[in-house]
């Protein structure tokens, strides 16, 4: 399936589920992992707005799989334990909108320009790599489940009072010219406690952010338009 095929199938499903949440559990934290996340999060927001129960601090696009992949690929290249590597991944959750901030990785790592470019491309296209490896038998499932569980446990920990819980997520944002953007978020009892923003970017990463804008804005608008035209 292309992401357009995915949109046509999943947009209706997400809108229907969120409509149910708006009616029956409007205060719930809503974590959306259904692709294309760049469009399904705007859909979620617009449906909640229609019901007058919109709270941007409680709607999350789960992009954790990008972080898990970035951590794994960096760890492999540097001979590190992936559980101890943390690469923030910002932007969106598709192709060139996936922006790994390797300059902000902990522990600090460095790569020559050509390797950095190839690594970034591999993180952006990892979903396609899995689809090709499965040769038509599906897409990423186990890693997706793992990523969804990780984000959900983090959010539950924060809701239960644990302090200092930070995860990246695609949310309503004022950090860039895009209405929605993924950045590291401090999570708390009420959802987003604080948006930690982009931090200091390298010149390479600044260009990645600039290059992602057009596609990201288009995907966001597509989600918003879907709800506007819903019967």
């Amino acid at each position: 399936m292309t992401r357009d095929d995915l949109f046509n199938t999943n947009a209706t499903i997400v809108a229907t589920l969120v409509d149910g949440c708006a009616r029956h559990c409007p205060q719930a934290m809503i974590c959306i992992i259904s692709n294309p996340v760049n469009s399904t999060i705007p859909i979620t927001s617009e449906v909640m707005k229609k019901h007058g129960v919109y709270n941007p601090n409680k709607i999350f696009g789960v992009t954790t799989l990008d972080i898990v992949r970035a951590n794994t690929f960096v760890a492999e290249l540097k001979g590190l334990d992936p559980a101890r590597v943390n690469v923030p991944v910002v932007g969106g959750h598709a192709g060139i909108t996936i922006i790994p901030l390797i300059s902000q990785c902990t522990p600090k790592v460095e790569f020559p320009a050509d390797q950095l470019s190839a690594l970034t491309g591999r993180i952006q296209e990892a979903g396609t790599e899995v689809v090709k490896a499965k040769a038509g038998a599906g897409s990423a499932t186990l890693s997706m489940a793992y990523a969804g569980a990780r984000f959900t446990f983090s959010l539950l920990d924060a809701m239960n009072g644990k302090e200092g819980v930070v995860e990246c997520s695609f949310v309503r944002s004022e950090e860039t010219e895009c209405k929605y953007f993924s950045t590291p978020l401090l999570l708390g009892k009420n959802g987003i406690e604080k948006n930690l923003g982009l931090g200091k970017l390298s010149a390479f990463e600044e260009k990645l952010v600039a290059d992602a804008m057009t596609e990201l804005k288009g995907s966001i608008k597509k989600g918003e338009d879907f709800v506007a035209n819903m019967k």
Side-chain angles (χ1 to χ4, degrees), residues 1-51:
M1 290 174 86
T2 64
R3 283 190 185 266
D4 278 340
D5 294 334
L6 270 180
F7 180 89
N8 294 331
T9 304
N10 287 353
T12 306
I13 295 170
V14 169
T16 305
L17 289 171
V18 175
D19 184 82
C21 293
R23 293 171 194 275
H24 303 289
C25 55
Q27 298 300 313
M29 304 285 178
I30 303 181
C31 307
I32 304 283
I33 203 165
S34 306
N35 273 319
V37 166
N38 293 355
S39 300
T40 55
I41 284 299
I43 287 171
T44 301
S45 299
E46 294 305 310
V47 171
M48 295 299 272
K49 283 179 194 173
K50 276 192 167 180
H51 288 274

Side-chain angles (χ1 to χ4, degrees), residues 112-136:
D114 56 341
Q115 197 177 18
L116 179 63
S117 181
L119 173 59
T120 299
R122 189 181 179 208
I123 294 164
Q124 291 175 333
E125 293 303 323
T128 309
E129 190 179 321
V130 174
V131 169
K132 285 179 180 168
K134 288 192 175 183

Side-chain angles (χ1 to χ4, degrees), residues 178-225:
C178 268
K179 273 191 213 172
Y180 297 86
F181 206 84
S182 181
T183 44
L185 307 170
L186 178 64
L187 302 175
K189 289 187 176 180
N190 301 307
I192 301 172
E193 197 85 0
K194 187 181 182 196
N195 192 320
L196 302 177
L198 284 166
K200 190 176 186 307
L201 304 183
S202 68
F204 175 69
E205 290 159 357
E206 280 177 358
K207 185 175 187 313
L208 292 176
V209 170
D211 289 349
M213 286 295 163
T214 305
E215 182 181 322
L216 199 45
K217 285 178 181 172
S219 299
I220 291 165
K221 185 173 187 310
K222 188 172 181 177
E224 290 175 337
D225 290 350

Side-chain angles (χ1 to χ4, degrees), residues 115-172:
Q115 197 177 18
L116 179 63
S117 181
L119 173 59
T120 299
R122 189 181 179 208
I123 294 164
Q124 291 175 333
E125 293 303 323
T128 309
E129 190 179 321
V130 174
V131 169
K132 285 179 180 168
K134 288 192 175 183
S139 58
T141 48
L142 187 61
S143 56
M144 183 69 88
Y146 171 79
R150 172 176 142 168
F151 184 83
T152 308
F153 284 129
S154 289
L155 185 56
L156 287 167
D157 282 345
M159 288 167 72
N160 285 323
K162 185 175 175 182
E163 293 192 356
V165 179
V166 175
E167 289 282 0
C168 294
S169 181
F170 187 67
V171 297
R172 182 78 177 89

